[in-house]
Amino acid sequence: VVRSREKVLRAALEELASAGYAGFAMESVAARAGVGRSTLYRHWSDRWELVTDALEVLNVQPTGQPSLPDAPRARVEQLLTHLSDVLLRPPVSGVVPALVHAAEQSEAVRDFFHAYSARRREALVTAVRAGVEAGVFREVDPELAADALSGAVFYRRLLTGRPVGAAEVPELVTTVLG
Amino acid sequence: VVRSREKVLRAALEELASAGYAGFAMESVAARAGVGRSTLYRHWSDRWELVTDALEVLNVQPTGQPSLPDAPRARVEQLLTHLSDVLLRPPVSGVVPALVHAAEQSEAVRDFFHAYSARRREALVTAVRAGVEAGVFREVDPELAADALSGAVFYRRLLTGRPVGAAEVPELVTTVLG
Amino acid sequence: VVRSREKVLRAALEELASAGYAGFAMESVAARAGVGRSTLYRHWSDRWELVTDALEVLNVQPTGQPSLPDAPRARVEQLLTHLSDVLLRPPVSGVVPALVHAAEQSEAVRDFFHAYSARRREALVTAVRAGVEAGVFREVDPELAADALSGAVFYRRLLTGRPVGAAEVPELVTTVLG
Amino acid sequence: VVRSREKVLRAALEELASAGYAGFAMESVAARAGVGRSTLYRHWSDRWELVTDALEVLNVQPTGQPSLPDAPRARVEQLLTHLSDVLLRPPVSGVVPALVHAAEQSEAVRDFFHAYSARRREALVTAVRAGVEAGVFREVDPELAADALSGAVFYRRLLTGRPVGAAEVPELVTTVLG
DNA sequence: CGCTAACCGAGACGGTACGTCCCGTCTTTAC
DNA sequence: GTAAAGACGGGACGTACCGTCTCGGTTAGCG
């Protein structure tokens, strides 16, 4: 009963990553999960609900976060490296572009996606602020600086063909934070 | 013959903006354009081809670019203001999220979208470099700085609920470029 | 489930009779039956399959056959009268010409149609043979004679404007069998 | 100008024979004839007109009829052999079933087809009558006997898998005419 | 002999039906 | 008695032809 739910959610993520949001087919999810289509509709009233629900899994997944270093610069670099890394590997790699789009269409997805992003952003803002207060970074608005840092990583991944690699992160941090 | 094409392309953009990429329906486009469904398939072999072709229109449209100011800072601010502005108003507002998603699915869309972004980015990089060389800005890598600036605008528009307003642009520029 | 099938088959026969084989439109059948088009394709993979399946109904229908008389001549006359009658009234009237044509195009239809004809022919051959053996008829090859009798009825119906009426049957029988 | 017409009519017959009446595609005819689709519609206002016009060609074709023998029995046998032969060879072989069907749908086709059949039938009736009057055949109604003879040939060709071969013709004639 | 008219092909146009795929709902079964 | 299977109506897909239409380009015949 519960294990079915999880099988389905896992299958839904796979499908989302492989087929994108358009082309996300309930039928495929059911097949992937080895489950009847009706079972899906029993637990999730429609496509969107399943998608958003599946994404909640991503929230929980990275609980096993590696401990962050204390030094602010290293901390910021690690957060950005992790972000850039996650954007390049399934399932997030395939899901984020789909979410960017889906967020425009569905309030539920938008809420989820913005909250998800906010959580990531918060960690970065905190690290930047710590660095600024410690005098390690330039005197910048931590929020805007965090937007610029995260933004650069997303921008390069989503709008250009050259995503930010781990090697470029220190340089990026220096560029924005000195 | 030619005017049909244009009617359709215009309708396709409307549809793309209003329904997104998923949910982009040939039938709707045909209806919007007051044209037979077969006419669409006569000129564009499938959905994607129509979409990418419609997007070319966006390339040409903004020819009437306002003359850029000479001062590097003003120049950068104007480019970012324009970017943030365009991201909030149809048709680009609706199309960009759709493109982010579609680019993952279709090579043709990806090529178009990356080229389109590259053109915008180039202008910004040039302006930043000029500022750096003139000693108006900090000593930064112009490319990374441009990624950070553009990225911040996109990030705030696509991943958060608070897009960058015109008023925030100077502050953003100062944050990154000093 | 079963009742849908029957509604559709009935509708298919109507359509076949009224529009012929060419012009037999799945959409019309669906509309006639008050059924979704997809329901048709769920049960029958294409047009032909539906047509041939609908025809099976004709096989079963005439179970309530009137008891045949014993006397060979009366028996032959009754079979031919029935044949000529059936060829003039829906649904067979409209379907047979369509079948003659369709049998040339589709092996499945051909098999069905030939089997259908063979059953009819068999009954006639048997009756003729009985008459020949009883000395009531001339000494003829029962098979060829049956072909000539059935053939005359079909010929007049399909290739001329004057189908064989019930009144002409005895004369026809006399002509061939003496 | 005139040669185009003939090319087209010949192509139309081919198409009719190979694709049947359903599936008769103007586009294929045009392609077969190496002619623009519009040329077809210039000379024949629609499908049916082209079909019926093409059939007129069949009327004229068999002018080079081999001289018929004088003896009534040989004459009847030759007519039937010819009939059975023609029913097995293109173009008539493919066209007749199509006509049987088309005649039900179109008055023009029906008129043509019945007239065509009537001409054939007339020849046979005459031969049978001559034989009856000469005392070579049994005392039968020549019309009904002709229907039975022709009918047997058509019946076997169209409704069974075993068309009447030349070898069976004499036996058939004996069966009906003694 | 040259001009004009007809006929030509090519192919765009709005339609209609095809057969496919998937949606979200509803019904039936069998465990 | 509930959950899997799967039938249902619906709607969009991309394909194939329909019959109509507008184009230039080429014959061909009449003046």
Side-chain angles (χ1 to χ4, degrees):
Chain A
V1 190
V2 175
R3 72 188 61 162
S4 278
R5 253 186 70 96
E6 297 196 355
K7 258 195 309 180
V8 170
L9 290 176
R10 214 174 337 269
L13 274 181
E14 280 176 39
E15 169 77 358
L16 199 57
S18 94
Y21 175 76
F24 177 92
M26 295 299 261
E27 217 147 318
S28 297
V29 176
R32 266 178 216 272
V35 139
R37 222 153 50 78
S38 28
T39 304
L40 266 55
Y41 286 101
R42 198 179 325 286
H43 294 302
W44 300 275
S45 67
D46 64 9
R47 220 209 294 225
W48 298 70
E49 219 174 281
L50 174 54
V51 170
T52 54
D53 208 10
L55 293 171
E56 299 288 349
V57 173
L58 290 185
N59 272 347
V60 188
Q61 216 175 29
T63 40
Q65 274 178 17
S67 60
L68 287 169
D70 277 346
R73 180 172 300 263
R75 200 176 185 107
V76 167
E77 285 179 3
Q78 172 149 344
L79 286 168
L80 290 177
T81 304
H82 178 65
L83 174 63
S84 127
D85 195 47
V86 127
L87 277 180
L88 284 173
R89 285 199 324 226
V92 175
S93 167
V95 165
V96 164
L99 278 175
V100 166
H101 175 226
E104 297 292 310
Q105 311 289 327
S106 147
E107 189 163 356
V109 173
R110 183 159 52 247
D111 290 348
F112 162 79
F113 188 43
H114 288 175
Y116 173 80
S117 303
R119 222 154 352 102
R120 276 216 135 83
R121 183 172 180 270
E122 207 51 51
L124 189 60
V125 167
T126 303
V128 170
R129 174 171 295 122
V132 170
E133 287 172 356
V136 181
F137 299 147
R138 296 170 46 230
E139 287 278 345
V140 294
D141 175 355
E143 303 227 333
L144 276 179
D147 291 341
L149 290 165
S150 289
V153 174
F154 278 104
Y155 176 84
R156 290 274 293 270
R157 166 67 182 82
L158 299 177
L159 281 81
T160 78
R162 297 178 304 109
V164 171
E168 294 175 88
V169 167
E171 202 177 348
L172 173 61
V173 173
T174 304
T175 297
V176 175
L177 300 176
Chain B
V1 188
V2 174
R3 73 189 58 164
S4 279
R5 255 184 71 92
E6 297 197 355
K7 259 194 308 181
V8 170
L9 290 176
R10 218 177 331 272
L13 273 182
E14 280 177 40
E15 171 77 359
L16 195 58
S18 95
Y21 177 73
F24 179 92
M26 294 298 260
E27 302 219 18
S28 298
V29 176
R32 263 181 219 272
V35 140
R37 215 159 55 82
S38 30
T39 299
L40 265 56
Y41 286 104
R42 201 165 295 119
H43 293 299
W44 300 275
S45 66
D46 63 10
R47 221 208 292 229
W48 299 48
E49 219 174 281
L50 174 52
V51 169
T52 54
D53 209 10
L55 293 171
E56 299 290 347
V57 172
L58 291 184
N59 269 346
V60 186
Q61 220 173 25
T63 39
Q65 276 178 17
S67 59
L68 288 169
D70 277 346
R73 181 171 300 264
R75 201 176 184 107
V76 167
E77 285 179 3
Q78 172 151 343
L79 285 168
L80 290 177
T81 304
H82 179 65
L83 174 62
S84 126
D85 195 46
V86 128
L87 278 180
L88 286 172
R89 283 196 328 221
V92 175
S93 167
V95 165
V96 162
L99 279 176
V100 166
H101 176 222
E104 296 295 309
Q105 311 290 326
S106 149
E107 187 164 356
V109 172
R110 181 160 53 250
D111 289 348
F112 162 79
F113 189 42
H114 287 175
Y116 174 79
S117 304
R119 225 158 346 108
R120 277 214 133 84
R121 183 173 179 270
E122 206 51 49
L124 190 58
V125 167
T126 303
V128 170
R129 174 170 295 121
V132 170
E133 286 172 357
V136 183
F137 298 147
R138 296 169 48 230
E139 287 278 346
V140 294
D141 176 354
E143 302 227 335
L144 277 179
D147 292 341
L149 291 165
S150 288
V153 174
F154 278 103
Y155 177 82
R156 289 274 294 272
R157 166 68 182 82
L158 299 177
L159 280 80
T160 77
R162 297 178 303 106
V164 172
E168 294 175 88
V169 167
E171 204 178 345
L172 172 62
V173 173
T174 304
T175 297
V176 176
L177 299 177
Chain C
V1 190
V2 175
R3 73 189 60 162
S4 279
R5 254 186 71 93
E6 297 196 354
K7 257 194 310 180
V8 170
L9 290 176
R10 215 176 333 271
L13 274 180
E14 280 176 38
E15 170 77 359
L16 199 56
S18 95
Y21 176 75
F24 178 93
M26 294 298 260
E27 302 218 20
S28 296
V29 176
R32 262 179 219 273
V35 141
R37 215 158 55 81
S38 30
T39 300
L40 265 55
Y41 287 103
R42 200 166 295 119
H43 293 300
W44 300 276
S45 65
D46 64 8
R47 221 208 291 229
W48 298 70
E49 218 174 281
L50 174 53
V51 169
T52 53
D53 207 11
L55 294 171
E56 299 289 348
V57 172
L58 291 184
N59 270 348
V60 187
Q61 219 175 27
T63 38
Q65 275 178 19
S67 59
L68 287 168
D70 277 346
R73 180 172 300 265
R75 201 175 185 109
V76 168
E77 286 179 2
Q78 171 150 344
L79 286 169
L80 290 176
T81 304
H82 178 66
L83 174 62
S84 125
D85 195 46
V86 127
L87 278 180
L88 284 172
R89 284 197 327 223
V92 174
S93 166
V95 165
V96 164
L99 277 175
V100 166
H101 175 226
E104 297 293 311
Q105 310 291 326
S106 149
E107 189 163 356
V109 172
R110 181 160 54 248
D111 289 348
F112 162 78
F113 188 42
H114 288 175
Y116 173 78
S117 304
R119 223 155 350 105
R120 276 217 134 83
R121 182 172 180 271
E122 207 50 51
L124 189 59
V125 168
T126 303
V128 169
R129 174 171 296 121
V132 170
E133 287 172 356
V136 182
F137 298 146
R138 297 169 45 229
E139 288 278 344
V140 293
D141 176 356
E143 303 227 334
L144 276 178
D147 291 341
L149 291 166
S150 289
V153 174
F154 278 103
Y155 176 83
R156 290 273 294 268
R157 165 68 183 81
L158 299 177
L159 281 81
T160 77
R162 296 177 305 106
V164 171
E168 294 175 86
V169 167
E171 201 177 349
L172 173 62
V173 173
T174 304
T175 297
V176 176
L177 301 175
Chain D
V1 190
V2 175
R3 74 189 59 164
S4 278
R5 254 186 71 93
E6 297 197 355
K7 260 195 308 182
V8 170
L9 290 176
R10 212 174 339 268
L13 273 182
E14 280 176 40
E15 169 75 0
L16 196 58
S18 94
Y21 177 75
F24 178 92
M26 294 298 260
E27 218 147 316
S28 297
V29 176
R32 266 180 215 272
V35 141
R37 220 156 51 78
S38 27
T39 303
L40 266 55
Y41 286 103
R42 200 163 296 121
H43 293 301
W44 300 274
S45 67
D46 64 10
R47 221 209 291 230
W48 296 46
E49 219 175 280
L50 173 54
V51 169
T52 54
D53 207 11
L55 293 170
E56 299 291 346
V57 172
L58 290 184
N59 270 346
V60 186
Q61 218 174 28
T63 38
Q65 275 178 18
S67 59
L68 288 168
D70 277 347
R73 180 170 299 264
R75 200 177 185 107
V76 167
E77 286 179 2
Q78 170 149 346
L79 286 168
L80 290 176
T81 303
H82 178 66
L83 175 62
S84 127
D85 195 47
V86 127
L87 278 180
L88 285 172
R89 283 197 327 224
V92 174
S93 168
V95 166
V96 163
L99 279 175
V100 166
H101 177 224
E104 297 293 310
Q105 311 291 325
S106 149
E107 188 163 356
V109 172
R110 180 159 54 249
D111 290 348
F112 162 79
F113 188 42
H114 288 176
Y116 173 79
S117 304
R119 222 155 351 105
R120 277 215 132 83
R121 182 172 180 270
E122 206 51 50
L124 189 60
V125 168
T126 303
V128 170
R129 175 170 295 121
V132 171
E133 285 172 357
V136 182
F137 299 146
R138 297 170 45 232
E139 288 276 346
V140 293
D141 176 355
E143 303 227 333
L144 276 178
D147 291 341
L149 291 166
S150 289
V153 174
F154 278 104
Y155 177 83
R156 289 274 293 271
R157 166 68 183 81
L158 299 178
L159 280 81
T160 78
R162 296 178 304 106
V164 171
E168 294 174 89
V169 167
E171 202 177 346
L172 173 61
V173 173
T174 305
T175 297
V176 176
L177 299 176

Short mmCIF file of all heavy atoms in Angstrom, two decimals, chain C residues 114 144 147, chain D residues 83-85 87-89 93 152-169 172:
data_model
loop_
_atom_site.label_atom_id
_atom_site.label_comp_id
_atom_site.label_asym_id
_atom_site.label_seq_id
_atom_site.Cartn_x
_atom_site.Cartn_y
_atom_site.Cartn_z
N HIS C 114 -16.72 -15.88 -48.95
CA HIS C 114 -16.77 -17.17 -49.65
C HIS C 114 -17.37 -18.25 -48.75
O HIS C 114 -18.17 -19.07 -49.20
CB HIS C 114 -15.38 -17.57 -50.13
CG HIS C 114 -14.90 -16.74 -51.29
ND1 HIS C 114 -13.64 -16.84 -51.82
CD2 HIS C 114 -15.53 -15.77 -52.00
CE1 HIS C 114 -13.51 -15.98 -52.82
NE2 HIS C 114 -14.64 -15.31 -52.94
N LEU C 144 -23.02 -27.76 -60.63
CA LEU C 144 -23.14 -26.78 -61.72
C LEU C 144 -24.55 -26.22 -61.78
O LEU C 144 -24.76 -25.03 -62.01
CB LEU C 144 -22.77 -27.43 -63.05
CG LEU C 144 -21.27 -27.47 -63.37
CD1 LEU C 144 -21.03 -28.17 -64.70
CD2 LEU C 144 -20.71 -26.04 -63.42
N ASP C 147 -24.92 -23.68 -59.16
CA ASP C 147 -24.26 -22.44 -59.57
C ASP C 147 -25.13 -21.66 -60.54
O ASP C 147 -25.23 -20.44 -60.46
CB ASP C 147 -22.91 -22.76 -60.24
CG ASP C 147 -21.89 -23.31 -59.25
OD1 ASP C 147 -22.09 -23.11 -58.03
OD2 ASP C 147 -20.91 -23.94 -59.70
N LEU D 83 -16.32 -14.79 -71.70
CA LEU D 83 -16.75 -14.12 -70.47
C LEU D 83 -15.88 -14.56 -69.30
O LEU D 83 -15.34 -13.73 -68.55
CB LEU D 83 -18.22 -14.44 -70.18
CG LEU D 83 -18.74 -13.91 -68.85
CD1 LEU D 83 -18.70 -12.40 -68.80
CD2 LEU D 83 -20.19 -14.39 -68.62
N SER D 84 -15.74 -15.85 -69.16
CA SER D 84 -14.98 -16.37 -68.02
C SER D 84 -13.53 -15.92 -68.10
O SER D 84 -12.88 -15.62 -67.09
CB SER D 84 -15.09 -17.90 -67.98
OG SER D 84 -13.83 -18.49 -67.93
N ASP D 85 -13.04 -15.84 -69.34
CA ASP D 85 -11.66 -15.44 -69.55
C ASP D 85 -11.45 -13.99 -69.15
O ASP D 85 -10.52 -13.63 -68.42
CB ASP D 85 -11.34 -15.63 -71.03
CG ASP D 85 -9.86 -15.59 -71.28
OD1 ASP D 85 -9.14 -16.27 -70.52
OD2 ASP D 85 -9.43 -14.88 -72.20
N LEU D 87 -13.15 -12.22 -67.22
CA LEU D 87 -13.34 -12.00 -65.79
C LEU D 87 -12.10 -12.37 -64.99
O LEU D 87 -12.00 -12.08 -63.80
CB LEU D 87 -14.52 -12.82 -65.27
CG LEU D 87 -15.89 -12.22 -65.47
CD1 LEU D 87 -16.96 -13.14 -64.91
CD2 LEU D 87 -15.98 -10.85 -64.80
N LEU D 88 -11.16 -13.02 -65.63
CA LEU D 88 -9.97 -13.45 -64.89
C LEU D 88 -8.75 -12.62 -65.24
O LEU D 88 -7.70 -12.78 -64.63
CB LEU D 88 -9.68 -14.93 -65.17
CG LEU D 88 -10.62 -15.89 -64.44
CD1 LEU D 88 -10.39 -17.30 -64.92
CD2 LEU D 88 -10.38 -15.79 -62.94
N ARG D 89 -8.88 -11.75 -66.23
CA ARG D 89 -7.70 -11.00 -66.65
C ARG D 89 -7.93 -9.51 -66.55
O ARG D 89 -9.02 -9.02 -66.84
CB ARG D 89 -7.35 -11.38 -68.08
CG ARG D 89 -6.65 -12.74 -68.16
CD ARG D 89 -5.95 -12.88 -69.49
NE ARG D 89 -6.69 -12.17 -70.53
CZ ARG D 89 -6.92 -12.66 -71.74
NH1 ARG D 89 -6.49 -13.87 -72.06
NH2 ARG D 89 -7.58 -11.95 -72.63
N SER D 93 -11.02 -7.93 -64.82
CA SER D 93 -10.99 -8.72 -63.59
C SER D 93 -11.09 -7.86 -62.34
O SER D 93 -11.84 -8.14 -61.42
CB SER D 93 -9.69 -9.52 -63.54
OG SER D 93 -9.51 -10.05 -62.26
N ALA D 152 -23.89 -18.23 -63.67
CA ALA D 152 -23.00 -19.23 -63.10
C ALA D 152 -21.55 -18.75 -63.17
O ALA D 152 -20.78 -18.88 -62.21
CB ALA D 152 -23.17 -20.55 -63.83
N VAL D 153 -21.20 -18.16 -64.30
CA VAL D 153 -19.82 -17.70 -64.46
C VAL D 153 -19.51 -16.58 -63.47
O VAL D 153 -18.47 -16.59 -62.79
CB VAL D 153 -19.58 -17.25 -65.92
CG1 VAL D 153 -18.18 -16.64 -66.05
CG2 VAL D 153 -19.76 -18.42 -66.87
N PHE D 154 -20.41 -15.60 -63.39
CA PHE D 154 -20.19 -14.51 -62.44
C PHE D 154 -20.19 -15.01 -61.00
O PHE D 154 -19.35 -14.63 -60.18
CB PHE D 154 -21.27 -13.43 -62.61
CG PHE D 154 -20.99 -12.48 -63.73
CD1 PHE D 154 -21.68 -12.58 -64.94
CD2 PHE D 154 -20.04 -11.48 -63.59
CE1 PHE D 154 -21.41 -11.70 -65.98
CE2 PHE D 154 -19.77 -10.60 -64.63
CZ PHE D 154 -20.46 -10.71 -65.83
N TYR D 155 -21.15 -15.86 -60.72
CA TYR D 155 -21.27 -16.37 -59.35
C TYR D 155 -19.98 -17.03 -58.90
O TYR D 155 -19.46 -16.74 -57.82
CB TYR D 155 -22.43 -17.37 -59.29
CG TYR D 155 -22.61 -18.03 -57.95
CD1 TYR D 155 -23.32 -17.40 -56.93
CD2 TYR D 155 -22.07 -19.28 -57.70
CE1 TYR D 155 -23.48 -18.00 -55.70
CE2 TYR D 155 -22.22 -19.90 -56.47
CZ TYR D 155 -22.93 -19.26 -55.47
OH TYR D 155 -23.08 -19.86 -54.26
N ARG D 156 -19.47 -17.90 -59.73
CA ARG D 156 -18.27 -18.62 -59.36
C ARG D 156 -17.06 -17.68 -59.23
O ARG D 156 -16.22 -17.85 -58.37
CB ARG D 156 -17.97 -19.71 -60.40
CG ARG D 156 -18.97 -20.87 -60.35
CD ARG D 156 -18.54 -21.91 -59.34
NE ARG D 156 -17.32 -22.54 -59.80
CZ ARG D 156 -17.26 -23.62 -60.59
NH1 ARG D 156 -18.39 -24.22 -60.94
NH2 ARG D 156 -16.12 -24.10 -60.98
N ARG D 157 -17.04 -16.65 -60.07
CA ARG D 157 -15.92 -15.71 -60.00
C ARG D 157 -16.01 -14.80 -58.78
O ARG D 157 -15.03 -14.56 -58.09
CB ARG D 157 -15.88 -14.86 -61.27
CG ARG D 157 -15.01 -13.62 -61.22
CD ARG D 157 -13.53 -13.97 -61.14
NE ARG D 157 -12.70 -12.77 -61.02
CZ ARG D 157 -12.49 -12.11 -59.89
NH1 ARG D 157 -13.01 -12.56 -58.77
NH2 ARG D 157 -11.73 -11.03 -59.89
N LEU D 158 -17.21 -14.31 -58.51
CA LEU D 158 -17.34 -13.27 -57.50
C LEU D 158 -17.65 -13.80 -56.11
O LEU D 158 -17.30 -13.17 -55.12
CB LEU D 158 -18.43 -12.26 -57.90
CG LEU D 158 -18.20 -11.50 -59.22
CD1 LEU D 158 -19.39 -10.59 -59.50
CD2 LEU D 158 -16.91 -10.68 -59.14
N LEU D 159 -18.31 -14.94 -56.01
CA LEU D 159 -18.77 -15.39 -54.71
C LEU D 159 -18.08 -16.66 -54.21
O LEU D 159 -18.31 -17.08 -53.08
CB LEU D 159 -20.28 -15.59 -54.71
CG LEU D 159 -21.10 -14.31 -54.56
CD1 LEU D 159 -21.23 -13.60 -55.88
CD2 LEU D 159 -22.45 -14.59 -53.94
N THR D 160 -17.29 -17.27 -55.07
CA THR D 160 -16.56 -18.45 -54.60
C THR D 160 -15.10 -18.28 -54.99
O THR D 160 -14.73 -17.37 -55.73
CB THR D 160 -17.08 -19.75 -55.24
OG1 THR D 160 -16.57 -19.84 -56.58
CG2 THR D 160 -18.59 -19.79 -55.30
N GLY D 161 -14.28 -19.15 -54.55
CA GLY D 161 -12.86 -19.08 -54.87
C GLY D 161 -12.51 -19.87 -56.12
O GLY D 161 -11.35 -19.93 -56.51
N ARG D 162 -13.50 -20.50 -56.76
CA ARG D 162 -13.19 -21.34 -57.92
C ARG D 162 -13.90 -20.83 -59.16
O ARG D 162 -15.01 -21.30 -59.48
CB ARG D 162 -13.60 -22.79 -57.63
CG ARG D 162 -12.82 -23.44 -56.47
CD ARG D 162 -13.30 -24.84 -56.21
NE ARG D 162 -14.74 -24.86 -55.95
CZ ARG D 162 -15.65 -25.30 -56.80
NH1 ARG D 162 -15.29 -25.79 -57.96
NH2 ARG D 162 -16.93 -25.25 -56.48
N PRO D 163 -13.31 -19.91 -59.89
CA PRO D 163 -13.95 -19.40 -61.10
C PRO D 163 -14.11 -20.53 -62.12
O PRO D 163 -13.39 -21.53 -62.09
CB PRO D 163 -12.98 -18.34 -61.61
CG PRO D 163 -11.70 -18.58 -60.90
CD PRO D 163 -12.03 -19.26 -59.62
N VAL D 164 -15.07 -20.35 -63.00
CA VAL D 164 -15.32 -21.33 -64.05
C VAL D 164 -14.17 -21.31 -65.05
O VAL D 164 -13.84 -20.25 -65.60
CB VAL D 164 -16.64 -21.00 -64.77
CG1 VAL D 164 -16.80 -21.89 -66.00
CG2 VAL D 164 -17.81 -21.15 -63.83
N GLY D 165 -13.53 -22.43 -65.25
CA GLY D 165 -12.47 -22.50 -66.25
C GLY D 165 -13.03 -22.86 -67.61
O GLY D 165 -14.18 -23.29 -67.73
N ALA D 166 -12.21 -22.64 -68.63
CA ALA D 166 -12.65 -22.93 -69.99
C ALA D 166 -13.12 -24.38 -70.12
O ALA D 166 -14.07 -24.69 -70.83
CB ALA D 166 -11.52 -22.64 -70.98
N ALA D 167 -12.46 -25.25 -69.40
CA ALA D 167 -12.77 -26.68 -69.50
C ALA D 167 -14.17 -27.02 -68.98
O ALA D 167 -14.79 -28.00 -69.40
CB ALA D 167 -11.72 -27.49 -68.74
N GLU D 168 -14.66 -26.17 -68.07
CA GLU D 168 -15.96 -26.50 -67.49
C GLU D 168 -17.12 -25.96 -68.30
O GLU D 168 -18.27 -26.29 -68.04
CB GLU D 168 -16.04 -25.93 -66.06
CG GLU D 168 -15.07 -26.59 -65.09
CD GLU D 168 -15.11 -25.89 -63.74
OE1 GLU D 168 -15.94 -26.30 -62.90
OE2 GLU D 168 -14.33 -24.94 -63.54
N VAL D 169 -16.80 -25.09 -69.25
CA VAL D 169 -17.88 -24.43 -69.98
C VAL D 169 -18.81 -25.41 -70.69
O VAL D 169 -20.04 -25.32 -70.55
CB VAL D 169 -17.32 -23.36 -70.94
CG1 VAL D 169 -18.38 -22.90 -71.92
CG2 VAL D 169 -16.76 -22.18 -70.15
N LEU D 172 -21.12 -26.95 -68.34
CA LEU D 172 -22.12 -25.99 -67.87
C LEU D 172 -23.22 -25.83 -68.91
O LEU D 172 -24.42 -25.83 -68.58
CB LEU D 172 -21.44 -24.65 -67.60
CG LEU D 172 -22.39 -23.49 -67.25
CD1 LEU D 172 -23.18 -23.77 -65.98
CD2 LEU D 172 -21.62 -22.17 -67.12
#
